[in-house]
Amino acid sequence: MHRRIMAPGALAAASLMLVIPASAASNAPGAPGIGDPYYPAYGNGGYDVSHYDLRLKYQPATDELEGTTTLLAKTTQDLSRFNLDFLLDVSEVRVNGAKASFATSGEHELEITPKKPLAKGTDVTVVVRYRGVPSSKEAYGFNAWLRTPDGGVAAGEPEGAWWWFPSNDHPRDKATFDVSVQVPDGTQFISNGTLQSTSSRAGWTRYNWRSNKPQATYLATFAAGKFDVTTGTSESGIPVINAYSKNLGDTAGAARASIERTGEVADWLAEYFGPYPYNALGGYVPNTPAVGYALETQTRPFYSPRQFASGSNVSVVVHELAHQWYGDEVSVKDWKDIWINEGFARYAQWLWSEHEGEGTAQEIADYVYASRAAGDPFWTVKPGDPGPENQFHIAVYDRGALTLQALRNEIGDEAFFAILKGWPQKFAHGNASVADFQRYAEEVSGKPLAALFDTWLFQPSKPTAPAARKASIARASVAPVQPKSWKKIAATNGVHDHGAERGKQHEDEHAHEHGE
């Protein structure tokens, strides 16, 4: 028998605990991360945001941003404290009208302690007043804010919000947005959704944008600069707003020749994926030549001018607009589910190639399989769970799309295209995983598919010739010729490659290795 000896201080504390009401004793800080294994500190626990209201003022000359963000949320536990993801300098926080204390911790955490603990299920209004220079702030050794000669841009994946508004920064917590930004007259401000109104006063113009469908925080975009703006309507009736920096130089014509086809491409994609899920369309090209990626910022994708350096490229527009269904309407549960975004957007490019008569999806799949030797490191990446260092690896795109062609051949066109159209409706404005997709594909097709998904998505090796033949991939004895569309598709290999500014290594050398 062992006696437990308790120190006097501990005994006093234990006695004190006995008289604390049970409800107060259950209050605890919300977790500093939402629980994503790839990015443990991203997002936060303890609450769910339903709406963001941003009212800001931005000075392009100094890159200074100031104003307030109001979050409407509901607690999911008894909370003594909670975190937001944010980097700028905070001057005041209010929770349900009362001033709250706050502190910073870690690389990007804003810790907020309300005056009174919050019970589970409470509606909460959080107001954060702040200012700062986004281009001066770093976290984890990188800065995701894009400074331009005439302003600034926020368009980053998996993170970009920290530099301009406090948030629960993970795709699992989607919300609606009102974004109101004041800029000097002569500067425009572009964001997601519909432009509700503009107003000018004392040398400043305020732009009010609204996203009325749930949106992941990384898909919210900020673009202040001098733009040429075009407006129109797609054939299906969706308003289109496109914006092009006035300083695009030689890429201006190619950018317009590509992005002005946005309405046409969205209507074409709707034939495969179902009705376009939003009430706004468009794209924008700021003067950001230092970066090469594009991003599916909801309703209005961001494109680097480098995407059009070699001429027009509608294929990249197809890729980003496909994400409006696969990535935006249905978002990842965790970042390991990135194939749900990238494999499908790449496959949409293959379907566009077929539509344009420049190579069928089958021909492209055969070429991708045959052009990579079994010893190529490409095959060691598992698109179904690539790891954070390989989240945007070319294998997630090309091998990911190859998986879809293997699936199509296994279950037939009728079931395959029913899945492509049904998936965005089943999980509309929510989140889903690779495992969810496999279950859904099995449900629709009536076939067991675990072996197929394991072979093509999860094995760190090239599927064997028998496995390829079973999936009707590269069955011909002669090596497939390079499809006509391949160079345009390969030109988008770095479409989400943020390696330059994030210091992470993503592979996009395939085009050079194969002389593409």
Side-chain angles (χ1 to χ4, degrees):
M1 180 175 168
H2 298 274
R3 287 175 57 199
R4 186 174 174 201
I5 300 172
M6 187 175 282
L11 185 64
S15 303
L16 188 63
M17 284 176 67
L18 297 177
V19 298
I20 296 175
S23 59
S26 68
N27 286 312
I34 209 165
D36 191 314
Y38 279 19
Y39 303 100
Y42 287 22
N44 306 285
Y47 63 94
D48 184 77
V49 182
S50 60
H51 184 72
Y52 291 91
D53 184 274
L54 283 64
R55 193 165 180 86
L56 308 173
K57 183 177 184 180
Y58 178 70
Q59 176 53 266
T62 59
D63 196 41
E64 187 171 41
L65 185 68
E66 62 177 304
T68 60
T69 288
T70 302
L71 299 84
L72 305 182
K74 188 181 283 286
T75 56
T76 57
Q77 68 177 74
D78 293 338
L79 276 180
S80 60
R81 190 182 76 216
F82 61 92
N83 286 20
L84 295 172
D85 301 299
F86 196 45
L87 290 174
L88 298 188
D89 306 319
V90 174
S91 59
E92 182 181 85
V93 177
R94 289 181 179 266
V95 176
N96 290 344
K99 281 191 178 182
S101 58
F102 58 91
T104 58
S105 67
E107 293 273 344
H108 71 285
E109 302 286 337
L110 175 65
E111 293 184 351
I112 297 170
T113 305
K115 190 166 278 188
K116 296 178 181 176
L118 303 168
K120 180 181 178 179
T122 300
D123 289 321
V124 183
T125 301
V126 183
V127 180
V128 183
R129 187 179 300 278
Y130 57 92
R131 70 188 306 153
V133 177
S135 57
S136 71
K137 300 293 185 181
E138 281 196 352
Y140 306 99
F142 68 91
N143 183 310
W145 182 260
L146 306 177
R147 186 78 163 103
T148 65
D150 53 10
V153 174
E157 182 185 22
E159 66 289 287
W162 314 340
W163 283 264
W164 66 292
F165 69 100
S167 67
N168 192 14
D169 191 30
H170 192 277
R172 226 183 283 166
D173 192 358
K174 297 160 83 166
T176 54
F177 279 76
D178 281 320
V179 178
S180 175
V181 176
Q182 198 175 34
V183 289
D185 289 348
T187 294
Q188 288 105 319
F189 174 71
I190 307 295
S191 193
N192 315 79
T194 55
L195 182 60
Q196 299 291 104
S197 63
T198 59
S199 58
S200 295
R201 181 172 175 268
W204 292 81
T205 302
R206 182 171 287 283
Y207 291 80
N208 299 296
W209 294 87
R210 170 167 291 174
S211 292
N212 69 346
K213 292 286 192 285
Q215 176 174 286
T217 44
Y218 85 96
L219 297 172
T221 196
F222 177 110
K226 297 183 185 299
F227 293 100
D228 286 328
V229 178
T230 66
T231 59
T233 307
S234 73
E235 196 173 357
S236 61
I238 308 295
V240 183
I241 298 177
N242 297 322
Y244 309 90
S245 170
K246 292 179 182 288
N247 299 306
L248 290 182
D250 291 346
T251 60
R256 285 179 185 244
S258 308
I259 294 167
E260 288 301 308
R261 296 182 68 181
T262 289
E264 172 200 348
V265 170
D267 285 347
W268 174 79
L269 284 166
E271 297 173 21
Y272 290 98
F273 298 157
Y276 180 71
Y278 307 112
N279 64 350
L281 261 173
Y284 75 97
V285 191
N287 188 11
T288 53
V291 299
Y293 64 87
L295 184 64
E296 64 270 19
T297 42
Q298 194 159 303
T299 71
R300 191 153 292 107
F302 158 88
Y303 301 94
S304 161
R306 274 167 48 188
Q307 291 290 327
F308 311 103
S310 299
S312 64
N313 192 349
V314 180
S315 191
V316 72
V317 177
V318 171
H319 185 102
E320 299 310 328
L321 290 179
H323 276 313
Q324 303 307 307
W325 288 265
Y326 282 85
D328 293 10
E329 184 180 21
V330 183
S331 300
V332 297
K333 272 186 182 168
D334 287 308
W335 282 110
K336 69 182 176 65
D337 300 310
I338 191 68
W339 173 71
I340 293 291
N341 296 15
E342 302 306 343
F344 292 76
R346 177 52 60 97
Y347 195 74
Q349 293 177 269
W350 293 12
L351 293 173
W352 179 257
S353 169
E354 203 165 290
H355 172 70
E356 294 288 275
E358 295 187 339
T360 65
Q362 181 68 53
E363 288 167 345
I364 300 169
D366 290 344
Y367 181 75
V368 167
Y369 179 84
S371 66
R372 300 271 193 180
D376 192 320
F378 170 90
W379 297 109
T380 65
V381 175
K382 301 177 291 183
D385 189 359
E389 71 284 358
N390 289 319
Q391 190 177 337
F392 301 108
H393 193 287
I394 189 61
V396 177
Y397 296 69
D398 281 351
R399 185 177 173 180
L402 188 56
T403 302
L404 289 171
Q405 186 63 31
L407 174 65
R408 180 179 175 180
N409 293 341
E410 174 77 18
I411 66 177
D413 277 10
E414 186 179 348
F416 179 75
F417 288 111
I419 288 166
L420 282 194
K421 191 170 282 189
W423 171 262
Q425 294 171 16
K426 181 175 177 67
F427 292 94
H429 307 298
N431 302 76
S433 67
V434 175
D436 290 328
F437 184 83
Q438 181 187 316
R439 280 191 293 271
Y440 181 68
E442 289 176 333
E443 179 187 310
V444 173
S445 68
K447 291 192 172 188
L449 298 169
L452 182 141
F453 281 104
D454 182 62
T455 297
W456 295 92
L457 283 185
F458 291 103
Q459 289 302 316
S461 57
K462 183 174 183 176
T464 62
R469 282 195 298 272
K470 185 175 186 297
S472 298
I473 302 293
R475 298 183 73 171
S477 56
V478 294
V481 297
Q482 186 182 101
K484 188 178 176 184
S485 62
W486 184 253
K487 287 184 179 178
K488 290 179 183 175
I489 293 170
T492 66
N493 278 358
V495 71
H496 295 160
D497 186 352
H498 300 220
E501 62 275 8
R502 294 200 40 185
K504 291 189 176 180
Q505 298 302 310
H506 306 308
E507 184 218 17
D508 64 355
E509 297 90 15
H510 182 44
H512 304 294
E513 291 169 6
H514 293 270
E516 292 150 6

